[in-house]
Amino acid sequence: MGPVILAIESSCDETSASVIRNGKVLNNIIASQAVHRKYGGVVPELASRAHQQNIVTVVDEAMEKSGLSKTDLNAIAFTRGPGLMGSLLVGVSFAKGMSLALGIPLIEINHMEAHVLAHFIDDPVPEFPFLCLTVSGGHTQIVLVEDYTTMQVIGQTQDDAVGEAFDKAAKIMGLPYPGGPLIDEYANVGNPKAFHFPVTSMPGLDFSFSGIKTAFMYFLRDEKLKNPAFVEENLYDICASLQRHLVTMLLTRLEQASVQTGIRNIAIAGGVSANSGLRSALKNMAEKREWNVFIPEFEYCTDNAAMIAMAAHFKYLRKEFCSLDVTPLARMPIGLA
Ligand code: KG4
Ligand code: ZN
């Protein structure tokens, strides 16, 4: 019988726990934090307090649903970073406490590597090497994945993440947080060619999304001077045009990365991979370029502990444990840990 591992994720605003046995994820319990909605974004201090309130029940539920007891556990895994310091601290401290109490090893996991390894939870799994576009509220990266442990970031945003661009644009239009899913919904019934926005060009395979946010703000300000009801009257077309623009920025770089590396196994991960415009554009690109495309279940795209558990399983097999002195890292590059 293979290892049984309890994994904890608390890097941002999701408190999550998962139990994995012999590489099979048994459950994935997630407590989302509604407290941030009225502030239009994640408030770090409130996030860490909510993690403290949720973590015991989330872990208990994962253990209970697994049908196993704590004495069956062979290791405890946790997200060391990157993420919000106060949020990470809750998960790290809790994992340390359990490891000490149960006398079992600790496994530190890099959150960004875990997003990539989420592709190994369910079939079909991608073949190495593959490229993974990780897109969420906090990250926008193109990762070249050679195997479970060797990964290299070959392109990334130099400022805002693409999810942040969706959410901030939504906020400027007066939509609630997080605005990404709403823009997606409205975009489905709008004209994507109604409006045009400037492309910020970055060297190599890097991205920049802060310029589009500012351009979008001035665009709306100018249009509203002419017609105060501009947003209300054109909401669907604005959303469709903006979404098309952001998706094109992502896919242009991904296509370049594939051409440069010669890799045609392409995966996407992170909350923004739920975007229907991105999914359909990716499918079109796959036909045009003969790509094999991999998109995980939505549950494993957004922040979750199942991906931490999957990454921990591979580390357990290599006996890569960490000491009880481990501390969280708010900034943690891929390849560290
Ligand atoms: O991975 P995630 O749950 O959390 C982190 O940020 O790490 O991603 C959340 C992000 C938010 O910015 C949200 O607006 C975006 O994913 N998102 C979407 C969609 N669903 C979630 N953006 C565009 N279209 C969607 N359907
Ligand atoms: Zn994430």
Side-chain angles (χ1 to χ4, degrees), residues 9 11-14 42 111-112 115 134-139 161-168 170 177-185 243 246 269-279 298 300-304 307:
E9 153 65 30
S11 63
C12 189
D13 60 344
E14 244 88 44
V42 176
H111 180 88
M112 299 311 296
H115 268 301
T134 312
V135 278
S136 73
H139 345 280
V162 64
E164 215 175 327
F166 270 104
D167 296 339
K168 285 183 179 163
Y177 174 84
L182 275 179
I183 290 187
D184 189 357
E185 190 185 322
Q243 176 168 300
L246 294 173
V272 180
S273 58
N275 185 268
S276 51
L278 176 60
R279 284 175 182 240
F298 183 64
Y300 304 136
C301 283
T302 52
D303 287 350
N304 67 88
M307 68 183 194

Side-chain angles (χ1 to χ4, degrees), residues 82-95:
L84 301 169
M85 187 47 93
S87 292
L88 290 165
L89 256 176
V90 178
V92 175
S93 313
F94 196 89

